[in-house]
Amino acid sequence: MSQAERAPWSRIILIYLIGVFGMMVVSAALPALGGIAAEFRPPSPSTIGWVMSAPALAAALASLAIGALVDRFGDRRMMLIGGALVLLGDIGVVTVHDMTLLLAWRIAAGLGYVCIVVAAVTMIMRMTSGRARTAALALWSTVIPASFVIASLYGAAFGHGGGWRTIFLLHAGGVALLMALAIACLTGGVAAETGRSRLNGIGQVLRSPWPYVLGASFAAAAFLQTGFVSSLPRLLAGSIGASEAQVHSFNALAMVCNMVGAFSFGLLFNRGLKPWQMGVASVAMCGLAGLGLVLAPTSLMLAIVMNCALMFGLGILVGMWALLPAVTPSPACTGAASGLITQITLLGVLFGPPVAFQALHAGPTTMLLFLAAALLVCMIGWPVWRRPLTAAVAAAH
């Protein structure tokens, strides 16, 4: 049995944890937003949203190029470079006393984040095949909700009491530990990283329509998810008087549901359920749950149920990372393909929080337009959902 078929799960779990802490470049800001707003007093409601999504600006601009660098120089090397940039960004954030500089350091950390996540996906693709690859990519698709679970639990446990800078220091410590483990464990177990000049794979990826389609669907789901997660404390404080700590507590539960939804896609797909069936059902579930959160959260318990349903449905949509092999033109440009999809996806992360805060400030009608527009764009994934995966993979590989 080949190394890919053996699926070295201990290394996959380590790569997954590195991905979670990479994604925490974005989500770690969630429990810090209130403290940052109190200290810096930004002039616009959307500015606080940008604190959370600023790392996605770097990722949205650089993911494709970094994906090509991963193909050229190797995933392990780029992952370690990314970890160093994240550490630099976290340290910069905790030392500043100016909003502009804070946003600049958040963008620097975003460059590190995209190095980590693109390298991690490429590494998983190389180490696995068949059903093991589907399961590993389904696990990978839970990195976003897992990072929000950790951030939400911190917010529920410590709130403002721990100080907003503390979470960035804790995040830096976690990244440093995981990079040390990567140096020790992710060496001989992965394919050789040298002699792989594949920058020409960018052209192949750019000419294929399928990475754009899948990425746009992911971007819409990320837009909706990060928008609701970041603005929900203010939304429910105004509608049912929920405290920020309460919302962080059940946001953690909702993110667990999001993880279950993301991983469920791979399990259900391996058992024969078609992607288009899961996609349509998920969009319908998200529409009903989001509508309820905006218009009728009459009690905290009902809001919890609706938030969990919304995040479970979004998890199914993001779990379609398992379809990555079907939209990759060839194995030689896996890094570039995952980089392009990541770049498009992070446009949703970039604009979700600031647009949600602005929509919430404008009123329920604008918030409903925010919901409807995101779900409509999620459906752009329909051609990929309907594409026969076996034939697509055979044609590409």
Side-chain angles (χ1 to χ4, degrees), residues 3 7-8 58 81 104 119 152 178 196-197 208 213 225 236-237 239 251 259 293 339 349 382 392:
Q3 182 187 23
I81 290 172
S152 297
L178 288 169
R196 301 174 61 239
S197 182
S208 173
V213 171
Q225 180 171 316
L236 295 182
S239 59
N251 250 340
M259 292 175 63
L293 279 173
V349 178
W382 177 265

Short mmCIF file of all heavy atoms in Angstrom, two decimals, residues 3 7-8 58 81 104 119 152 178 196-197 208 213 225 236-237 239 251 259 293 339 349 382 392:
data_model
loop_
_atom_site.label_atom_id
_atom_site.label_comp_id
_atom_site.label_asym_id
_atom_site.label_seq_id
_atom_site.Cartn_x
_atom_site.Cartn_y
_atom_site.Cartn_z
N GLN A 3 2.20 5.23 0.42
CA GLN A 3 2.14 6.18 1.54
C GLN A 3 0.86 6.99 1.49
O GLN A 3 0.24 7.27 2.51
CB GLN A 3 3.35 7.11 1.48
CG GLN A 3 3.40 8.10 2.65
CD GLN A 3 4.50 9.11 2.50
OE1 GLN A 3 4.97 9.37 1.41
NE2 GLN A 3 4.93 9.68 3.60
N ALA A 7 -2.52 7.04 4.43
CA ALA A 7 -3.08 8.22 5.08
C ALA A 7 -2.49 8.42 6.48
O ALA A 7 -3.07 8.02 7.47
CB ALA A 7 -4.60 8.12 5.16
N PRO A 8 -1.28 9.00 6.59
CA PRO A 8 -0.64 9.18 7.89
C PRO A 8 -1.40 10.19 8.75
O PRO A 8 -1.11 11.39 8.74
CB PRO A 8 0.76 9.69 7.52
CG PRO A 8 0.58 10.34 6.19
CD PRO A 8 -0.51 9.59 5.49
N ALA A 58 -4.80 40.69 2.59
CA ALA A 58 -3.55 40.15 2.07
C ALA A 58 -3.80 38.82 1.37
O ALA A 58 -3.26 38.56 0.29
CB ALA A 58 -2.55 39.97 3.21
N ILE A 81 7.55 29.74 6.72
CA ILE A 81 7.61 31.19 6.46
C ILE A 81 6.31 31.85 6.92
O ILE A 81 6.32 32.93 7.54
CB ILE A 81 7.84 31.45 4.96
CG1 ILE A 81 9.26 31.03 4.57
CG2 ILE A 81 7.62 32.92 4.61
CD1 ILE A 81 9.54 31.07 3.09
N ALA A 104 -2.44 47.52 9.77
CA ALA A 104 -1.27 47.14 8.96
C ALA A 104 -0.65 45.84 9.45
O ALA A 104 -0.30 44.95 8.66
CB ALA A 104 -0.23 48.27 8.98
N ALA A 119 -0.27 26.02 1.84
CA ALA A 119 0.71 24.94 1.99
C ALA A 119 0.08 23.71 2.63
O ALA A 119 0.37 22.58 2.24
CB ALA A 119 1.88 25.44 2.84
N SER A 152 -14.42 31.91 20.37
CA SER A 152 -15.68 32.15 21.09
C SER A 152 -15.60 31.67 22.53
O SER A 152 -16.13 32.32 23.44
CB SER A 152 -16.84 31.47 20.37
OG SER A 152 -17.04 32.01 19.08
N LEU A 178 3.32 25.05 17.40
CA LEU A 178 2.98 24.22 16.24
C LEU A 178 4.07 24.29 15.16
O LEU A 178 4.33 23.29 14.48
CB LEU A 178 1.64 24.65 15.67
CG LEU A 178 0.43 24.27 16.53
CD1 LEU A 178 -0.82 24.97 16.04
CD2 LEU A 178 0.23 22.76 16.54
N ARG A 196 10.89 21.45 -8.21
CA ARG A 196 9.49 21.42 -8.61
C ARG A 196 9.10 22.77 -9.18
O ARG A 196 8.30 23.51 -8.62
CB ARG A 196 8.59 21.06 -7.43
CG ARG A 196 8.91 19.73 -6.83
CD ARG A 196 8.09 19.47 -5.57
NE ARG A 196 6.68 19.48 -5.84
CZ ARG A 196 5.81 20.30 -5.28
NH1 ARG A 196 6.21 21.21 -4.44
NH2 ARG A 196 4.54 20.22 -5.56
N SER A 197 9.68 23.16 -10.33
CA SER A 197 9.39 24.46 -10.92
C SER A 197 8.07 24.39 -11.67
O SER A 197 8.00 23.92 -12.79
CB SER A 197 10.52 24.85 -11.87
OG SER A 197 10.27 26.11 -12.41
N SER A 208 -8.96 27.59 -16.42
CA SER A 208 -10.04 26.66 -16.08
C SER A 208 -11.15 27.40 -15.35
O SER A 208 -10.89 28.16 -14.41
CB SER A 208 -9.51 25.53 -15.20
OG SER A 208 -10.57 24.72 -14.74
N VAL A 213 -15.60 28.91 -10.02
CA VAL A 213 -16.97 28.58 -9.61
C VAL A 213 -17.00 28.10 -8.17
O VAL A 213 -17.79 28.58 -7.34
CB VAL A 213 -17.56 27.51 -10.57
CG1 VAL A 213 -18.89 26.99 -10.04
CG2 VAL A 213 -17.73 28.09 -11.97
N GLN A 225 -21.05 33.69 6.79
CA GLN A 225 -20.64 33.15 8.09
C GLN A 225 -19.91 34.18 8.93
O GLN A 225 -20.26 34.41 10.09
CB GLN A 225 -19.76 31.92 7.89
CG GLN A 225 -19.28 31.30 9.19
CD GLN A 225 -18.60 29.97 8.96
OE1 GLN A 225 -19.07 29.14 8.19
NE2 GLN A 225 -17.48 29.75 9.61
N LEU A 236 -28.31 40.54 18.55
CA LEU A 236 -29.14 39.95 19.61
C LEU A 236 -29.21 40.84 20.85
O LEU A 236 -30.17 40.75 21.62
CB LEU A 236 -28.61 38.56 19.97
CG LEU A 236 -28.71 37.53 18.84
CD1 LEU A 236 -28.20 36.17 19.31
CD2 LEU A 236 -30.14 37.41 18.33
N ALA A 237 -28.21 41.69 21.05
CA ALA A 237 -28.31 42.66 22.15
C ALA A 237 -29.47 43.61 21.90
O ALA A 237 -30.21 43.99 22.82
CB ALA A 237 -27.01 43.43 22.30
N SER A 239 -32.18 42.94 19.89
CA SER A 239 -33.49 42.30 19.72
C SER A 239 -33.98 41.61 20.99
O SER A 239 -35.16 41.70 21.33
CB SER A 239 -33.43 41.28 18.58
OG SER A 239 -32.44 40.30 18.83
N ASN A 251 -22.19 30.98 20.31
CA ASN A 251 -21.45 31.01 19.04
C ASN A 251 -20.48 29.83 18.98
O ASN A 251 -20.26 29.24 17.92
CB ASN A 251 -20.67 32.31 18.89
CG ASN A 251 -21.26 33.20 17.79
OD1 ASN A 251 -21.99 32.73 16.92
ND2 ASN A 251 -20.94 34.48 17.84
N MET A 259 -18.63 22.76 12.22
CA MET A 259 -17.63 21.72 12.01
C MET A 259 -18.29 20.39 11.65
O MET A 259 -17.84 19.69 10.75
CB MET A 259 -16.78 21.55 13.27
CG MET A 259 -15.89 22.72 13.60
SD MET A 259 -15.03 22.50 15.17
CE MET A 259 -14.02 21.06 14.80
N LEU A 293 -33.23 34.65 12.56
CA LEU A 293 -32.33 35.42 13.42
C LEU A 293 -32.53 36.92 13.26
O LEU A 293 -32.46 37.69 14.22
CB LEU A 293 -30.87 35.08 13.10
CG LEU A 293 -30.30 33.80 13.72
CD1 LEU A 293 -28.92 33.51 13.16
CD2 LEU A 293 -30.24 33.91 15.24
N GLY A 339 -4.63 27.81 -4.08
CA GLY A 339 -4.37 29.22 -3.82
C GLY A 339 -5.43 30.12 -4.43
O GLY A 339 -5.90 31.06 -3.80
N VAL A 349 -14.47 36.49 3.35
CA VAL A 349 -14.01 36.78 4.71
C VAL A 349 -13.67 38.25 4.85
O VAL A 349 -13.94 38.88 5.89
CB VAL A 349 -12.79 35.90 5.06
CG1 VAL A 349 -12.26 36.22 6.45
CG2 VAL A 349 -13.14 34.42 4.95
N TRP A 382 -23.51 25.45 -8.37
CA TRP A 382 -24.34 24.42 -8.97
C TRP A 382 -23.63 23.61 -10.07
O TRP A 382 -23.71 22.37 -10.06
CB TRP A 382 -25.63 25.06 -9.50
CG TRP A 382 -26.56 24.11 -10.19
CD1 TRP A 382 -26.64 23.87 -11.54
CD2 TRP A 382 -27.54 23.26 -9.58
NE1 TRP A 382 -27.61 22.93 -11.80
CE2 TRP A 382 -28.17 22.54 -10.62
CE3 TRP A 382 -27.93 23.04 -8.27
CZ2 TRP A 382 -29.18 21.62 -10.38
CZ3 TRP A 382 -28.94 22.11 -8.03
CH2 TRP A 382 -29.55 21.42 -9.07
N ALA A 392 -14.41 13.85 -13.74
CA ALA A 392 -13.64 15.09 -13.69
C ALA A 392 -12.22 14.83 -13.17
O ALA A 392 -11.24 15.36 -13.70
CB ALA A 392 -14.35 16.11 -12.80
#
